Amino acid sequence: TTTPGTRMPMMMMMPLPRGLFRSKSSSLILRRYGRAPFSAQCSSSTSSIVSSTTKSTTRHSSSLLLGFGIAATLSGYVYFGGGVTLRPEAKRSYGSLSSSSPPSLGLAPPIVVRTVTTGVLLEKENRSQWSQEIKKAAQVNQRVSDTLKRKGFEVQGTRLTTNSFEEYVDTSRPESILKGIRDLLTIAELEGIPIIGIGPATRSSSIEVIPEIVKMSPKVSLSIPVPLMGGGVMESSPDYERALKAAEVCLRISQETDKGIGNFQLAVSFNARSNIPYFPVGYHRGPMSFAIGCESTPVVSHAMKTCEEKGKLAPNELGNMQKSIVNALEHDMKIIEQVGKEHANHMGVTFDGIDTSVAPNPTRLSLTEGYKAAGLGKFGQSGSLCVSSIITAAVKSVNVKKAGYSGLMLPPLEDSGLASMAMETYRIQDLLLYSAVCGVGLDTVPIPGDTPKEKIAALYMDCSALAHRLDKPLTARLFPVLGKKAGEMTEFNSPHMCNGKIFSVD
């Protein structure tokens, strides 16, 4: 007989029909270690076989106890024996773990590809070329996505970014702006493009029509940049008039869309670079190119907790945590990088790289579990700034071509743990503080619906000053919630967000 924790040498592997040992009551499953999925401490040759034949780390079916070992079907393959550790099966998929139900550390979550985002440059004078450019972008997205899926990655979706819509639509009247964007959406829909980032709005006439653009379709995302101006107490100071206009738009959207959900499509940006694959800030410059954005918060949190489990995590040994995070991310990201490079060469486009950011998912393991494992207290307590800095350093140390933010994301309504701790262990000013050493800024932050526009503009000014002083990209995506006060719960019904307490704006 074999008991949990028993180790065995790899014996043999043979293909079997998909679902042959499939069972709803499996008692044992394979444990994933470190860099190589489902090949714990195997020889390099065996490990490569397992990695190459495992079609998807999210779809193992069951495992069967045999006299000398285990037979586990993975996308139609069965492995007898193996240099693996057996343990009781978790009740939930390791790709969908919440902070309220911490996983057994035997299952390392896989990296998920949130988006393959291709950018195109559109011109007002060459409107006849829009369809051709968008069609090629859709092909790039599809081919890269298909290859990643064949290599076992879950790919949540693809996206298209353009240069600023002000450069390719008639902005002389609100009606002409809306018509130009409506035409773009029609072309994109014909080519199977699900979401479009139409870039930054910088002109007053464009900014004023943003609520109408947002109401037109949930498939459109865009941004309002708050740049620096000359003069002021610094070498240059943020543009207050732009910040105030952005605040007015944010409040209008909160009043004119269902529970203010339209603000999910708008980012107020600060020092944001082009070719970020994440929305709503993503926009494009230059020849056609693509970048890949990943969803890795569960991976990072699991790596931190595993480090704690092995006794390698103490306040004076936090360097081990950074190494553990790098090791957990680098193997899969190198595979993703190789896919990107190969398709760039084949299709004659530029591969911008991977945004290695630690991006969360509200239905999966929360990063707050990792903060707790670091031993310096809960997220939001003293020590959180240090842990945020270490995670960011690890993400930036991953040895792949990087794009976008490549930092730590802390959006309260996209991480169940962060949502549950809002207004208890941390507040808005804490998120701003952490932004100094990580990334994004104030993302998916709910605030009272009656917050004055001047206070919202002041938050934007803080973000802009921080982003430009430290020369890093930050964004703010605030959600004023009508009829709600600080400390009350949001009531969004969105697959992309969870609900949490509303923050006060002091």
Short mmCIF file of all heavy atoms in Angstrom, two decimals, residues 228-288:
data_model
loop_
_atom_site.label_atom_id
_atom_site.label_comp_id
_atom_site.label_asym_id
_atom_site.label_seq_id
_atom_site.Cartn_x
_atom_site.Cartn_y
_atom_site.Cartn_z
N LEU A 228 2.45 66.29 -16.44
CA LEU A 228 3.08 67.35 -15.67
C LEU A 228 3.00 68.67 -16.43
O LEU A 228 2.94 68.70 -17.65
CB LEU A 228 4.55 67.03 -15.41
CG LEU A 228 4.86 65.82 -14.51
CD1 LEU A 228 6.36 65.69 -14.32
CD2 LEU A 228 4.15 65.94 -13.17
N MET A 229 3.00 69.74 -15.67
CA MET A 229 3.05 71.09 -16.24
C MET A 229 4.29 71.79 -15.71
O MET A 229 4.85 71.40 -14.69
CB MET A 229 1.81 71.89 -15.85
CG MET A 229 0.51 71.34 -16.39
SD MET A 229 -0.89 72.35 -15.88
CE MET A 229 -0.50 73.91 -16.68
N GLY A 230 4.71 72.82 -16.39
CA GLY A 230 5.84 73.58 -15.91
C GLY A 230 5.49 74.40 -14.70
O GLY A 230 4.33 74.71 -14.42
N GLY A 231 6.50 74.76 -13.89
CA GLY A 231 6.30 75.58 -12.70
C GLY A 231 5.85 74.76 -11.52
O GLY A 231 5.88 73.54 -11.51
N GLY A 232 5.42 75.42 -10.46
CA GLY A 232 4.97 74.72 -9.27
C GLY A 232 6.09 74.50 -8.29
O GLY A 232 7.23 74.94 -8.46
N VAL A 233 5.79 73.76 -7.21
CA VAL A 233 6.76 73.58 -6.14
C VAL A 233 7.82 72.55 -6.52
O VAL A 233 8.90 72.55 -5.96
CB VAL A 233 6.06 73.13 -4.84
CG1 VAL A 233 5.16 74.23 -4.32
CG2 VAL A 233 5.24 71.86 -5.07
N MET A 234 7.50 71.65 -7.47
CA MET A 234 8.51 70.71 -7.94
C MET A 234 9.12 71.28 -9.20
O MET A 234 8.82 72.40 -9.63
CB MET A 234 7.87 69.34 -8.22
CG MET A 234 7.18 68.73 -7.00
SD MET A 234 6.72 67.00 -7.27
CE MET A 234 5.62 67.13 -8.67
N GLU A 235 10.00 70.52 -9.85
CA GLU A 235 10.52 70.95 -11.14
C GLU A 235 9.35 71.19 -12.09
O GLU A 235 9.39 72.08 -12.93
CB GLU A 235 11.47 69.89 -11.69
CG GLU A 235 12.71 69.69 -10.83
CD GLU A 235 13.56 68.54 -11.32
OE1 GLU A 235 13.21 67.95 -12.36
OE2 GLU A 235 14.56 68.23 -10.67
N SER A 236 8.33 70.37 -11.96
CA SER A 236 7.08 70.57 -12.67
C SER A 236 6.00 69.90 -11.83
O SER A 236 6.27 68.98 -11.07
CB SER A 236 7.13 69.98 -14.08
OG SER A 236 7.52 68.64 -14.05
N SER A 237 4.76 70.33 -11.98
CA SER A 237 3.69 69.81 -11.14
C SER A 237 2.59 69.21 -12.00
O SER A 237 2.44 69.55 -13.18
CB SER A 237 3.10 70.94 -10.27
OG SER A 237 2.58 71.97 -11.10
N PRO A 238 1.79 68.29 -11.46
CA PRO A 238 0.70 67.68 -12.23
C PRO A 238 -0.33 68.71 -12.66
O PRO A 238 -0.54 69.73 -12.01
CB PRO A 238 0.11 66.67 -11.23
CG PRO A 238 1.20 66.39 -10.25
CD PRO A 238 1.95 67.68 -10.13
N ASP A 239 -0.97 68.41 -13.77
CA ASP A 239 -1.97 69.30 -14.36
C ASP A 239 -3.28 69.17 -13.58
O ASP A 239 -4.03 68.22 -13.75
CB ASP A 239 -2.17 68.89 -15.83
CG ASP A 239 -3.10 69.83 -16.58
OD1 ASP A 239 -3.86 70.56 -15.92
OD2 ASP A 239 -3.07 69.81 -17.82
N TYR A 240 -3.57 70.15 -12.72
CA TYR A 240 -4.76 70.08 -11.88
C TYR A 240 -6.04 70.18 -12.70
O TYR A 240 -7.03 69.50 -12.40
CB TYR A 240 -4.74 71.18 -10.82
CG TYR A 240 -5.95 71.14 -9.92
CD1 TYR A 240 -6.10 70.12 -8.98
CD2 TYR A 240 -6.95 72.11 -10.02
CE1 TYR A 240 -7.23 70.07 -8.16
CE2 TYR A 240 -8.08 72.06 -9.21
CZ TYR A 240 -8.21 71.03 -8.28
OH TYR A 240 -9.32 70.97 -7.47
N GLU A 241 -6.05 71.00 -13.73
CA GLU A 241 -7.25 71.13 -14.55
C GLU A 241 -7.61 69.79 -15.21
O GLU A 241 -8.78 69.42 -15.28
CB GLU A 241 -7.05 72.21 -15.61
CG GLU A 241 -7.00 73.62 -15.04
CD GLU A 241 -8.25 73.97 -14.25
OE1 GLU A 241 -9.37 73.64 -14.72
OE2 GLU A 241 -8.11 74.56 -13.15
N ARG A 242 -6.59 69.06 -15.68
CA ARG A 242 -6.84 67.74 -16.26
C ARG A 242 -7.34 66.78 -15.19
O ARG A 242 -8.27 65.99 -15.44
CB ARG A 242 -5.55 67.20 -16.89
CG ARG A 242 -5.68 65.81 -17.51
CD ARG A 242 -6.49 65.78 -18.78
NE ARG A 242 -5.89 66.61 -19.81
CZ ARG A 242 -4.86 66.24 -20.58
NH1 ARG A 242 -4.31 65.05 -20.41
NH2 ARG A 242 -4.38 67.05 -21.51
N ALA A 243 -6.76 66.83 -14.00
CA ALA A 243 -7.20 65.95 -12.91
C ALA A 243 -8.65 66.25 -12.54
O ALA A 243 -9.44 65.33 -12.28
CB ALA A 243 -6.29 66.13 -11.69
N LEU A 244 -9.03 67.52 -12.54
CA LEU A 244 -10.40 67.90 -12.20
C LEU A 244 -11.38 67.42 -13.27
O LEU A 244 -12.48 66.93 -12.97
CB LEU A 244 -10.48 69.41 -12.02
CG LEU A 244 -11.70 69.96 -11.27
CD1 LEU A 244 -11.77 69.40 -9.85
CD2 LEU A 244 -11.65 71.48 -11.23
N LYS A 245 -10.99 67.55 -14.55
CA LYS A 245 -11.84 67.06 -15.63
C LYS A 245 -12.03 65.55 -15.52
O LYS A 245 -13.12 65.02 -15.74
CB LYS A 245 -11.23 67.41 -16.99
CG LYS A 245 -11.41 68.86 -17.40
CD LYS A 245 -10.87 69.10 -18.80
CE LYS A 245 -11.07 70.55 -19.22
NZ LYS A 245 -12.50 70.89 -19.38
N ALA A 246 -10.95 64.84 -15.20
CA ALA A 246 -11.02 63.39 -15.05
C ALA A 246 -11.96 63.02 -13.91
O ALA A 246 -12.72 62.05 -14.00
CB ALA A 246 -9.63 62.82 -14.81
N ALA A 247 -11.90 63.77 -12.82
CA ALA A 247 -12.79 63.52 -11.68
C ALA A 247 -14.25 63.73 -12.06
O ALA A 247 -15.13 62.96 -11.66
CB ALA A 247 -12.41 64.42 -10.51
N GLU A 248 -14.51 64.75 -12.85
CA GLU A 248 -15.88 65.01 -13.31
C GLU A 248 -16.40 63.86 -14.17
O GLU A 248 -17.55 63.42 -14.04
CB GLU A 248 -15.92 66.32 -14.10
CG GLU A 248 -15.68 67.56 -13.24
CD GLU A 248 -15.51 68.82 -14.07
OE1 GLU A 248 -15.41 68.70 -15.32
OE2 GLU A 248 -15.46 69.93 -13.48
N VAL A 249 -15.54 63.33 -15.03
CA VAL A 249 -15.94 62.20 -15.88
C VAL A 249 -16.20 60.97 -15.04
O VAL A 249 -17.20 60.25 -15.24
CB VAL A 249 -14.85 61.92 -16.93
CG1 VAL A 249 -15.11 60.59 -17.64
CG2 VAL A 249 -14.76 63.05 -17.95
N CYS A 250 -15.34 60.72 -14.08
CA CYS A 250 -15.51 59.57 -13.18
C CYS A 250 -16.85 59.63 -12.45
O CYS A 250 -17.58 58.63 -12.36
CB CYS A 250 -14.35 59.54 -12.18
SG CYS A 250 -14.43 58.21 -10.96
N LEU A 251 -17.21 60.81 -11.96
CA LEU A 251 -18.48 60.97 -11.25
C LEU A 251 -19.67 60.83 -12.20
O LEU A 251 -20.69 60.24 -11.85
CB LEU A 251 -18.51 62.33 -10.56
CG LEU A 251 -17.64 62.44 -9.30
CD1 LEU A 251 -17.53 63.89 -8.84
CD2 LEU A 251 -18.19 61.56 -8.19
N ARG A 252 -19.54 61.35 -13.41
CA ARG A 252 -20.63 61.20 -14.39
C ARG A 252 -20.90 59.74 -14.71
O ARG A 252 -22.04 59.30 -14.77
CB ARG A 252 -20.29 61.96 -15.67
CG ARG A 252 -20.66 63.43 -15.67
CD ARG A 252 -20.50 64.00 -17.07
NE ARG A 252 -21.36 63.32 -18.03
CZ ARG A 252 -21.22 63.43 -19.36
NH1 ARG A 252 -20.26 64.20 -19.86
NH2 ARG A 252 -22.04 62.78 -20.17
N ILE A 253 -19.82 58.98 -14.91
CA ILE A 253 -19.98 57.56 -15.22
C ILE A 253 -20.63 56.83 -14.05
O ILE A 253 -21.45 55.93 -14.24
CB ILE A 253 -18.61 56.93 -15.56
CG1 ILE A 253 -18.09 57.50 -16.89
CG2 ILE A 253 -18.70 55.42 -15.64
CD1 ILE A 253 -16.69 57.06 -17.24
N SER A 254 -20.29 57.23 -12.83
CA SER A 254 -20.89 56.59 -11.66
C SER A 254 -22.39 56.84 -11.60
O SER A 254 -23.15 56.02 -11.06
CB SER A 254 -20.22 57.09 -10.37
OG SER A 254 -20.63 58.42 -10.05
N GLN A 255 -22.82 57.95 -12.16
CA GLN A 255 -24.25 58.32 -12.14
C GLN A 255 -25.01 57.78 -13.35
O GLN A 255 -26.22 57.57 -13.27
CB GLN A 255 -24.37 59.85 -12.10
CG GLN A 255 -23.78 60.48 -10.85
CD GLN A 255 -23.50 61.97 -11.03
OE1 GLN A 255 -23.82 62.56 -12.07
NE2 GLN A 255 -22.88 62.59 -10.04
N GLU A 256 -24.31 57.55 -14.45
CA GLU A 256 -24.98 57.23 -15.72
C GLU A 256 -24.86 55.76 -16.14
O GLU A 256 -25.41 55.37 -17.17
CB GLU A 256 -24.44 58.14 -16.83
CG GLU A 256 -24.70 59.62 -16.56
CD GLU A 256 -24.09 60.53 -17.61
OE1 GLU A 256 -23.73 60.01 -18.70
OE2 GLU A 256 -23.96 61.74 -17.35
N THR A 257 -24.14 54.94 -15.37
CA THR A 257 -24.06 53.51 -15.65
C THR A 257 -24.52 52.74 -14.41
O THR A 257 -24.54 53.28 -13.30
CB THR A 257 -22.63 53.08 -16.03
OG1 THR A 257 -21.74 53.32 -14.93
CG2 THR A 257 -22.15 53.84 -17.25
N ASP A 258 -24.89 51.49 -14.60
CA ASP A 258 -25.44 50.67 -13.53
C ASP A 258 -24.46 50.54 -12.37
O ASP A 258 -23.41 49.92 -12.49
CB ASP A 258 -25.79 49.29 -14.08
CG ASP A 258 -26.44 48.39 -13.04
OD1 ASP A 258 -27.08 48.92 -12.11
OD2 ASP A 258 -26.29 47.15 -13.16
N LYS A 259 -24.81 51.15 -11.23
CA LYS A 259 -23.99 51.13 -10.02
C LYS A 259 -22.58 51.65 -10.25
O LYS A 259 -21.66 51.38 -9.48
CB LYS A 259 -23.93 49.71 -9.44
CG LYS A 259 -25.29 49.16 -9.03
CD LYS A 259 -25.20 47.75 -8.50
CE LYS A 259 -26.58 47.22 -8.13
NZ LYS A 259 -26.55 45.82 -7.66
N GLY A 260 -22.41 52.40 -11.34
CA GLY A 260 -21.10 52.98 -11.65
C GLY A 260 -20.12 52.00 -12.25
O GLY A 260 -18.92 52.30 -12.35
N ILE A 261 -20.60 50.84 -12.75
CA ILE A 261 -19.71 49.81 -13.28
C ILE A 261 -18.94 50.28 -14.50
O ILE A 261 -17.89 49.74 -14.83
CB ILE A 261 -20.52 48.53 -13.62
CG1 ILE A 261 -19.59 47.34 -13.88
CG2 ILE A 261 -21.43 48.78 -14.82
CD1 ILE A 261 -18.77 46.93 -12.68
N GLY A 262 -19.43 51.35 -15.16
CA GLY A 262 -18.72 51.86 -16.33
C GLY A 262 -17.32 52.33 -16.04
O GLY A 262 -16.48 52.40 -16.95
N ASN A 263 -17.04 52.66 -14.77
CA ASN A 263 -15.68 53.09 -14.42
C ASN A 263 -14.67 51.96 -14.52
O ASN A 263 -13.46 52.20 -14.43
CB ASN A 263 -15.66 53.71 -13.02
CG ASN A 263 -16.04 55.17 -13.04
OD1 ASN A 263 -15.45 55.98 -13.76
ND2 ASN A 263 -17.05 55.52 -12.25
N PHE A 264 -15.16 50.74 -14.71
CA PHE A 264 -14.25 49.61 -14.96
C PHE A 264 -13.51 49.81 -16.28
O PHE A 264 -12.41 49.31 -16.47
CB PHE A 264 -15.06 48.31 -15.02
CG PHE A 264 -14.21 47.06 -15.02
CD1 PHE A 264 -13.68 46.57 -13.84
CD2 PHE A 264 -13.97 46.38 -16.20
CE1 PHE A 264 -12.89 45.42 -13.84
CE2 PHE A 264 -13.19 45.22 -16.20
CZ PHE A 264 -12.66 44.75 -15.01
N GLN A 265 -14.11 50.59 -17.20
CA GLN A 265 -13.54 50.78 -18.54
C GLN A 265 -12.64 51.99 -18.64
O GLN A 265 -12.05 52.23 -19.71
CB GLN A 265 -14.68 50.91 -19.56
CG GLN A 265 -15.59 49.71 -19.65
CD GLN A 265 -16.88 50.00 -20.38
OE1 GLN A 265 -17.98 49.88 -19.85
NE2 GLN A 265 -16.77 50.43 -21.63
N LEU A 266 -12.53 52.78 -17.57
CA LEU A 266 -11.75 54.02 -17.63
C LEU A 266 -10.62 54.02 -16.61
O LEU A 266 -10.83 53.75 -15.44
CB LEU A 266 -12.67 55.22 -17.34
CG LEU A 266 -11.95 56.57 -17.19
CD1 LEU A 266 -11.35 57.02 -18.53
CD2 LEU A 266 -12.91 57.62 -16.64
N ALA A 267 -9.42 54.33 -17.10
CA ALA A 267 -8.28 54.54 -16.21
C ALA A 267 -7.84 55.99 -16.31
O ALA A 267 -7.81 56.56 -17.40
CB ALA A 267 -7.12 53.63 -16.58
N VAL A 268 -7.54 56.59 -15.19
CA VAL A 268 -6.83 57.87 -15.19
C VAL A 268 -5.37 57.50 -15.03
O VAL A 268 -4.99 56.82 -14.07
CB VAL A 268 -7.32 58.79 -14.06
CG1 VAL A 268 -6.56 60.11 -14.10
CG2 VAL A 268 -8.82 59.04 -14.22
N SER A 269 -4.55 57.88 -15.98
CA SER A 269 -3.18 57.36 -16.06
C SER A 269 -2.15 58.45 -15.74
O SER A 269 -2.39 59.64 -15.94
CB SER A 269 -2.90 56.78 -17.44
OG SER A 269 -2.98 57.78 -18.45
N PHE A 270 -1.01 57.97 -15.27
CA PHE A 270 0.06 58.87 -14.86
C PHE A 270 1.39 58.26 -15.32
O PHE A 270 1.80 57.21 -14.84
CB PHE A 270 0.07 59.04 -13.33
CG PHE A 270 -1.32 59.18 -12.75
CD1 PHE A 270 -1.98 58.09 -12.23
CD2 PHE A 270 -1.99 60.41 -12.78
CE1 PHE A 270 -3.26 58.19 -11.70
CE2 PHE A 270 -3.28 60.53 -12.27
CZ PHE A 270 -3.92 59.41 -11.74
N ASN A 271 2.01 58.92 -16.30
CA ASN A 271 3.30 58.46 -16.81
C ASN A 271 3.20 57.06 -17.42
O ASN A 271 4.15 56.29 -17.36
CB ASN A 271 4.35 58.49 -15.69
CG ASN A 271 5.77 58.48 -16.21
OD1 ASN A 271 6.06 59.03 -17.28
ND2 ASN A 271 6.68 57.86 -15.47
N ALA A 272 2.04 56.72 -17.97
CA ALA A 272 1.85 55.37 -18.52
C ALA A 272 2.52 55.25 -19.89
O ALA A 272 2.34 56.11 -20.76
CB ALA A 272 0.37 55.06 -18.63
N ARG A 273 3.27 54.18 -20.08
CA ARG A 273 3.92 53.91 -21.35
C ARG A 273 2.95 53.19 -22.30
O ARG A 273 1.95 52.63 -21.89
CB ARG A 273 5.15 53.02 -21.15
CG ARG A 273 6.39 53.72 -20.64
CD ARG A 273 6.34 54.06 -19.19
NE ARG A 273 7.67 54.33 -18.64
CZ ARG A 273 7.90 54.71 -17.39
NH1 ARG A 273 6.89 54.88 -16.56
NH2 ARG A 273 9.13 54.92 -16.99
N SER A 274 3.31 53.19 -23.56
CA SER A 274 2.52 52.45 -24.54
C SER A 274 2.80 50.95 -24.43
O SER A 274 3.76 50.52 -23.79
CB SER A 274 2.86 52.93 -25.96
OG SER A 274 4.23 52.71 -26.25
N ASN A 275 1.91 50.18 -25.07
CA ASN A 275 2.07 48.72 -25.22
C ASN A 275 2.00 47.96 -23.90
O ASN A 275 2.60 46.89 -23.76
CB ASN A 275 3.37 48.40 -25.97
CG ASN A 275 3.44 49.12 -27.31
OD1 ASN A 275 2.42 49.49 -27.87
ND2 ASN A 275 4.64 49.34 -27.80
N ILE A 276 1.25 48.49 -22.93
CA ILE A 276 0.89 47.72 -21.74
C ILE A 276 -0.26 46.79 -22.14
O ILE A 276 -1.26 47.25 -22.69
CB ILE A 276 0.45 48.66 -20.59
CG1 ILE A 276 1.64 49.50 -20.12
CG2 ILE A 276 -0.12 47.85 -19.43
CD1 ILE A 276 1.26 50.56 -19.08
N PRO A 277 -0.17 45.48 -21.89
CA PRO A 277 -1.22 44.57 -22.35
C PRO A 277 -2.50 44.62 -21.54
O PRO A 277 -3.54 44.14 -21.99
CB PRO A 277 -0.56 43.19 -22.24
CG PRO A 277 0.47 43.34 -21.17
CD PRO A 277 0.97 44.75 -21.30
N TYR A 278 -2.44 45.17 -20.32
CA TYR A 278 -3.62 45.20 -19.46
C TYR A 278 -4.48 46.42 -19.77
O TYR A 278 -3.99 47.47 -20.18
CB TYR A 278 -3.20 45.24 -17.98
CG TYR A 278 -2.44 44.03 -17.52
CD1 TYR A 278 -1.08 44.09 -17.24
CD2 TYR A 278 -3.08 42.80 -17.35
CE1 TYR A 278 -0.38 42.98 -16.81
CE2 TYR A 278 -2.39 41.68 -16.93
CZ TYR A 278 -1.03 41.77 -16.66
OH TYR A 278 -0.34 40.67 -16.25
N PHE A 279 -5.78 46.26 -19.51
CA PHE A 279 -6.74 47.34 -19.72
C PHE A 279 -7.19 47.88 -18.37
O PHE A 279 -7.06 47.19 -17.37
CB PHE A 279 -7.95 46.81 -20.50
CG PHE A 279 -7.70 46.70 -21.98
CD1 PHE A 279 -6.43 46.76 -22.51
CD2 PHE A 279 -8.75 46.51 -22.85
CE1 PHE A 279 -6.21 46.65 -23.87
CE2 PHE A 279 -8.56 46.40 -24.21
CZ PHE A 279 -7.28 46.47 -24.73
N PRO A 280 -7.69 49.08 -18.32
CA PRO A 280 -8.06 49.95 -19.44
C PRO A 280 -6.97 50.90 -19.93
O PRO A 280 -7.21 51.68 -20.83
CB PRO A 280 -9.24 50.75 -18.87
CG PRO A 280 -8.98 50.83 -17.42
CD PRO A 280 -8.28 49.56 -17.04
N VAL A 281 -5.77 50.84 -19.35
CA VAL A 281 -4.75 51.83 -19.70
C VAL A 281 -4.02 51.51 -20.99
O VAL A 281 -3.38 52.38 -21.58
CB VAL A 281 -3.73 51.97 -18.54
CG1 VAL A 281 -2.79 50.76 -18.51
CG2 VAL A 281 -2.94 53.27 -18.65
N GLY A 282 -4.12 50.27 -21.48
CA GLY A 282 -3.34 49.87 -22.64
C GLY A 282 -3.62 50.69 -23.90
O GLY A 282 -4.77 50.94 -24.24
N TYR A 283 -2.56 51.11 -24.58
CA TYR A 283 -2.67 51.77 -25.87
C TYR A 283 -1.41 51.48 -26.66
O TYR A 283 -0.45 50.91 -26.14
CB TYR A 283 -2.89 53.29 -25.71
CG TYR A 283 -1.68 54.06 -25.22
CD1 TYR A 283 -0.85 54.74 -26.11
CD2 TYR A 283 -1.36 54.12 -23.87
CE1 TYR A 283 0.25 55.46 -25.67
CE2 TYR A 283 -0.26 54.83 -23.41
CZ TYR A 283 0.55 55.50 -24.32
OH TYR A 283 1.64 56.19 -23.88
N HIS A 284 -1.41 51.85 -27.94
CA HIS A 284 -0.32 51.41 -28.83
C HIS A 284 0.40 52.58 -29.48
O HIS A 284 -0.21 53.62 -29.76
CB HIS A 284 -0.89 50.50 -29.91
CG HIS A 284 0.16 49.97 -30.85
ND1 HIS A 284 1.12 49.04 -30.46
CD2 HIS A 284 0.43 50.27 -32.15
CE1 HIS A 284 1.90 48.78 -31.48
NE2 HIS A 284 1.52 49.51 -32.52
N ARG A 285 1.68 52.37 -29.73
CA ARG A 285 2.49 53.27 -30.56
C ARG A 285 3.41 52.43 -31.42
O ARG A 285 3.86 51.36 -31.01
CB ARG A 285 3.32 54.22 -29.70
CG ARG A 285 2.51 55.30 -29.00
CD ARG A 285 3.42 56.41 -28.48
NE ARG A 285 2.70 57.39 -27.69
CZ ARG A 285 1.94 58.35 -28.18
NH1 ARG A 285 1.80 58.45 -29.49
NH2 ARG A 285 1.32 59.20 -27.40
N GLY A 286 3.70 52.92 -32.63
CA GLY A 286 4.66 52.24 -33.49
C GLY A 286 4.05 51.16 -34.36
O GLY A 286 2.83 51.00 -34.43
N PRO A 287 4.92 50.37 -35.05
CA PRO A 287 4.44 49.28 -35.89
C PRO A 287 3.69 48.23 -35.07
O PRO A 287 3.79 48.21 -33.84
CB PRO A 287 5.74 48.70 -36.48
CG PRO A 287 6.75 49.78 -36.32
CD PRO A 287 6.38 50.52 -35.09
N MET A 288 2.98 47.34 -35.75
CA MET A 288 2.21 46.32 -35.06
C MET A 288 3.10 45.49 -34.14
O MET A 288 4.19 45.06 -34.50
CB MET A 288 1.52 45.39 -36.07
CG MET A 288 0.61 44.36 -35.42
SD MET A 288 -0.22 43.29 -36.64
CE MET A 288 -1.26 44.49 -37.48
#
